[in-house]
Amino acid sequence: MDCLVCRCSVYDTRVSLFTRPASLVSFLPSIRVHLVALTTPDFHLSFVRYPPTVFISSKFSWRISCDSIPKPSQINPQVEESRQRRHNAMKQFLLKECCFSSSQITLLISKDPSLFRRRSLHRAHQVLQMLEDCGLTVEQIRKTIIKSPTILIRSVDDHLKPKIEYLKTLGIADEDVNYIVSHNPRLLTSRLNETIAPKISSLIKFFGSKANLLKALRKAPEVASYDVKLLNNKLKVLENTGLLEHEIKRILERCPRILFCSVGKIEKNMEFLTCIVGLKPNVLVKYPQFLGFSVEKRLRPRYEVFKYLIASRARHHLTIHRVTILALTEGDFTQRFLSGSPDVKMLYEKYKGKTADVGVTKLLPTRQR
């Protein structure tokens, strides 16, 4: 059955016809939408400002009408002045109290514009005071607010403090709590009993102890929000390579960010490392970061350089192991294998996958420039 869907532009309304059993009603704020069932006039729907998602029932034929948004000249000056005053108040709070830059405020507006429509800054001041009392630095406070702007409208006593106290009951020191909160502030905006506590309990059980979990949180605070139920498929991929259970846990303890890698990425990296490079799976216990590297941008280019060096029989490169080439930082890799090498142009092409440009000449030995 045909259903009518209202689509509104800024200052007018248009009605489109869709031939679907059920369709979404979508409209902008300040639009009043009326839906009346033609066959049953007593059954009607009317919405104003941010309604929940509504599906039109296919049982009725609908007549739809909308009230347009007021023209700029029709906007109440007092309402507009009040809105602008609230916007400026929040902006000044962020500039002066939180030491935000203009660009950071613009970012906040794009992430959560409703934050600048708050009638009172009382909660924002309370949240800022609590974060300062907890020992967070100015930089950590900025990072916390940018990552989770809604923290400024949360109740300190009802929502924020109980979660910080819960983290401390796990034996996490104050400085570690500050680090975790500043890197994973969504932890403070989640529900304690329904979300945070069950996830933390599952993580403690998986890692074996609170101490092991704390080590993982220091390396990746986002782990505190991780759902262990999502881990099963990833564990199966690692188990299929012959890794033992204690080796897998050791890998995840040393590099917990692997928890956030997709199953496809883990499979792809494992296949490249074991089948192409020829590494044994247990090498990952010492170098777990290999599972998080990009095959196209890191692992394959480094391996191409390794193969070229071995094939060229360069005497000073014969003792270099393939694991070392994969594990080195970008700066150390460039310094050891590209800078000063007589084959720098060829190595650069192997590594970057493109012809060496003029900038590569600075890596050449002085006598070849």
Side-chain angles (χ1 to χ4, degrees):
M1 180 177 293
D2 293 351
C3 292
L4 292 171
V5 178
C6 172
R7 296 197 169 200
C8 303
S9 62
V10 179
Y11 293 120
D12 66 351
T13 58
R14 297 189 299 275
V15 177
S16 303
L17 186 64
F18 282 76
T19 55
R20 296 177 181 174
S23 301
L24 282 173
V25 178
S26 60
F27 46 87
L28 296 175
S30 299
I31 287 287
R32 183 180 294 105
V33 177
H34 310 283
L35 298 173
V36 181
L38 298 180
T39 55
T40 311
D42 292 337
F43 187 86
H44 62 276
L45 304 172
S46 182
F47 303 99
V48 181
R49 298 184 63 85
Y50 296 105
T53 301
V54 178
F55 286 89
I56 302 178
S57 172
S58 58
K59 295 180 180 179
F60 302 99
S61 295
W62 296 93
R63 184 179 77 244
I64 188 168
S65 62
C66 305
D67 297 338
S68 301
I69 297 177
K71 299 285 186 180
S73 58
Q74 298 173 331
I75 295 177
N76 190 325
Q78 294 181 346
V79 174
E80 180 63 20
E81 182 182 354
S82 176
R83 185 196 66 80
Q84 190 62 41
R85 185 168 58 250
R86 293 195 297 268
H87 179 92
N88 291 337
M90 176 59 75
K91 186 175 180 180
Q92 290 301 315
F93 168 78
L94 294 171
L95 283 171
K96 295 181 179 180
E97 304 294 334
C98 303
C99 302
F100 271 61
S101 64
S102 298
S103 60
Q104 289 172 331
I105 291 178
T106 302
L107 176 62
L108 276 186
I109 294 175
S110 64
K111 292 184 69 173
D112 188 5
S114 65
L115 185 67
F116 291 79
R117 295 196 289 266
R118 304 295 297 180
R119 294 180 180 276
S120 172
L121 296 179
H122 179 66
R123 279 193 175 179
H125 282 283
Q126 285 186 325
V127 171
L128 178 61
Q129 186 63 50
M130 186 210 71
L131 295 176
E132 290 176 346
D133 292 343
C134 288
L136 271 72
T137 64
V138 174
E139 182 61 31
Q140 287 177 325
I141 291 175
R142 280 202 301 265
K143 187 179 296 184
T144 300
I145 297 174
I146 289 174
K147 287 187 176 181
S148 184
T150 56
I151 195 175
L152 287 176
I153 62 175
R154 301 285 179 171
S155 169
V156 170
D157 295 326
D158 296 337
H159 293 96
L160 304 184
K161 281 187 177 180
K163 293 155 191 174
I164 291 178
E165 293 301 322
Y166 172 76
L167 293 176
K168 292 181 179 180
T169 61
L170 299 175
I172 303 177
D174 291 348
E175 58 270 18
D176 291 326
V177 170
N178 296 343
Y179 178 76
I180 292 170
V181 168
S182 62
H183 285 78
N184 186 16
R186 290 184 179 86
L187 196 65
L188 296 182
T189 58
S190 302
R191 295 184 177 182
L192 178 58
N193 296 325
E194 293 84 352
T195 305
I196 300 175
K199 287 184 177 180
I200 293 293
S201 298
S202 299
L203 288 167
I204 292 174
K205 183 177 179 180
F206 174 76
F207 284 108
S209 67
K210 293 180 180 179
N212 290 339
L213 174 59
L214 178 56
K215 291 178 183 178
L217 292 177
R218 286 171 177 165
K219 295 177 181 178
E222 300 84 359
V223 171
S225 301
Y226 187 78
D227 190 348
V228 177
K229 296 177 182 178
L230 304 175
L231 191 56
N232 292 334
N233 291 334
K234 299 175 185 179
L235 293 178
K236 289 179 181 178
V237 173
L238 296 174
E239 289 172 355
N240 291 338
T241 63
L243 287 168
L244 301 177
E245 183 179 352
H246 74 275
E247 291 177 327
I248 295 174
K249 288 190 176 183
R250 182 62 176 161
I251 289 171
L252 296 176
E253 286 174 10
R254 290 175 59 87
C255 189
R257 294 189 186 278
I258 296 173
L259 292 170
F260 299 97
C261 294
S262 65
V263 174
K265 178 175 180 59
I266 294 176
E267 288 179 337
K268 183 178 181 179
N269 284 34
M270 285 297 298
E271 181 180 359
F272 182 82
L273 292 168
T274 56
C275 300
I276 306 299
V277 181
L279 299 179
K280 294 181 179 180
N282 58 9
V283 171
L284 294 173
V285 177
K286 187 175 181 180
Y287 299 97
Q289 66 270 30
F290 288 175
L291 289 176
F293 288 161
S294 169
V295 172
E296 290 76 15
K297 297 181 180 180
R298 174 73 174 256
L299 299 179
R300 193 182 301 280
R302 296 280 183 98
Y303 184 60
E304 291 297 324
V305 170
F306 171 78
K307 289 194 299 182
Y308 178 82
L309 293 174
I310 295 300
S312 66
R313 302 282 182 181
R315 181 167 51 84
H316 55 287
H317 289 308
L318 285 178
T319 57
I320 296 300
H321 196 273
R322 65 195 73 192
V323 171
T324 305
I325 285 186
L326 297 179
L328 285 174
T329 63
E330 188 70 17
D332 290 341
F333 175 79
T334 301
Q335 183 66 28
R336 292 185 61 175
F337 298 104
L338 299 183
S339 182
S341 171
D343 297 329
V344 63
K345 290 185 177 180
M346 181 59 69
L347 290 173
Y348 182 88
E349 292 175 8
K350 292 285 184 182
Y351 186 47
K352 297 295 184 180
K354 60 182 180 181
T355 305
D357 53 20
V358 178
V360 178
T361 56
K362 64 183 180 181
L363 300 176
L364 287 168
T366 306
R367 62 180 180 277
Q368 294 186 19
R369 294 181 183 177

